[in-house]
Amino acid sequence: MPDAEAATTSSSLLSRVRDHADAVAWDRFVALYAPLLRGWLRRSGVPPHEHDDLAQDVFHAIAREMPTFAYDRSTGGFRGWLRTVLANRLRHHWRQRQTRPLATGDERFAATVLDQLEDPRSGMAAAWDREHDEHVVATLLGLVRGDFEPQTWEAFRRTALDGQAVATVADALGLTVNAVKLARHRVLKRLRREADSLLD
């Protein structure tokens, strides 16, 4: 039963990704971050035909450097570290290929983008943080949904996401109030565990 499987996962996605042998965790991590990275590559002026290769380059850098990553909220935690990895790979990419960003064809554009992306006080870094958190939450919701029975998920969705009263949801789903609370708790607990250290 899906709910039973969900209850056995004891560590966060980020901690599981540190184990290179955990292919399931790595696949989930790539599914989580690939769309976000491609979106930022696009806005950074990387030509579309280079998005997949550069995203793969970012993932290789993450895999290589993940064992040395230490969570530190004061430096932006994982999302700040990932933003720095992305900026470094973009800098390396443009230097190595001597390509110009598609957006303007101007090297100054590339330097400005990278400087802002690396500066935790910049508007671009703030946009990254906001978009990262929204993307991670939305994607994790989709990734863990299949791990729960439909009724469990529905009780969670209606109470936690839609803000409906527990008693109203219990009545609509033919459950007890305690069953609805338990369902919401189980999904939230799983989400928190998956997102541990990914979000600040």
Side-chain angles (χ1 to χ4, degrees):
M1 240 167 52
D3 283 328
E5 186 278 330
T8 64
T9 305
S10 60
S11 58
S12 73
L13 177 60
L14 193 59
S15 58
R16 295 196 311 273
V17 166
R18 289 177 186 269
D19 177 5
H20 291 174
D22 192 338
V24 172
W26 185 254
D27 288 346
R28 184 166 278 203
F29 182 82
V30 170
L32 176 63
Y33 277 105
L36 179 70
L37 291 175
R38 287 193 185 99
W40 277 85
L41 292 174
R42 184 169 52 253
R43 105 179 40 171
S44 299
V46 175
H49 67 276
E50 296 179 356
H51 289 179
D52 287 344
D53 286 345
L54 191 46
Q56 195 69 7
D57 193 27
V58 173
F59 284 121
H60 282 199
I62 292 168
R64 186 173 59 250
E65 297 175 27
M66 182 65 82
T68 63
F69 168 72
Y71 181 80
D72 183 354
R73 181 173 297 221
S74 69
T75 60
F78 179 76
R79 69 183 180 194
W81 181 78
L82 179 60
R83 179 170 40 78
T84 301
V85 171
L86 172 61
N88 287 339
R89 298 323 299 163
L90 279 167
R91 194 179 300 282
H92 176 76
H93 173 77
W94 283 329
R95 211 181 280 137
Q96 185 181 47
R97 302 199 180 182
Q98 297 180 344
T99 56
R100 295 181 174 184
L102 187 65
T104 66
D106 185 349
E107 285 84 356
R108 287 173 300 179
F109 172 82
T112 300
V113 166
L114 291 173
D115 289 346
Q116 289 184 17
L117 199 54
E118 289 177 314
D119 181 359
R121 299 173 308 264
S122 73
M124 185 172 284
W128 163 274
D129 289 351
R130 184 174 55 254
E131 192 173 316
H132 170 275
D133 290 356
E134 291 171 356
H135 173 79
V136 166
V137 170
T139 306
L140 281 179
L141 284 169
L143 288 173
V144 305
R145 180 174 184 167
D147 295 339
F148 294 93
E149 295 290 345
Q151 195 173 50
T152 301
W153 186 263
E154 190 64 11
F156 159 76
R157 184 188 66 78
R158 292 189 186 194
T159 56
L161 302 182
D162 296 345
Q164 295 180 28
V166 171
T168 303
V169 174
D171 188 51
L173 297 179
L175 297 171
T176 65
V177 166
N178 281 343
V180 171
K181 288 179 178 178
L182 180 60
R184 181 177 62 188
H185 172 76
R186 289 169 70 191
V187 179
L188 284 172
K189 183 178 178 183
R190 175 68 187 282
L191 285 169
R192 287 188 191 107
R193 192 164 51 226
E194 286 287 321
D196 183 40
S197 297
L198 293 177
L199 305 172
D200 291 330

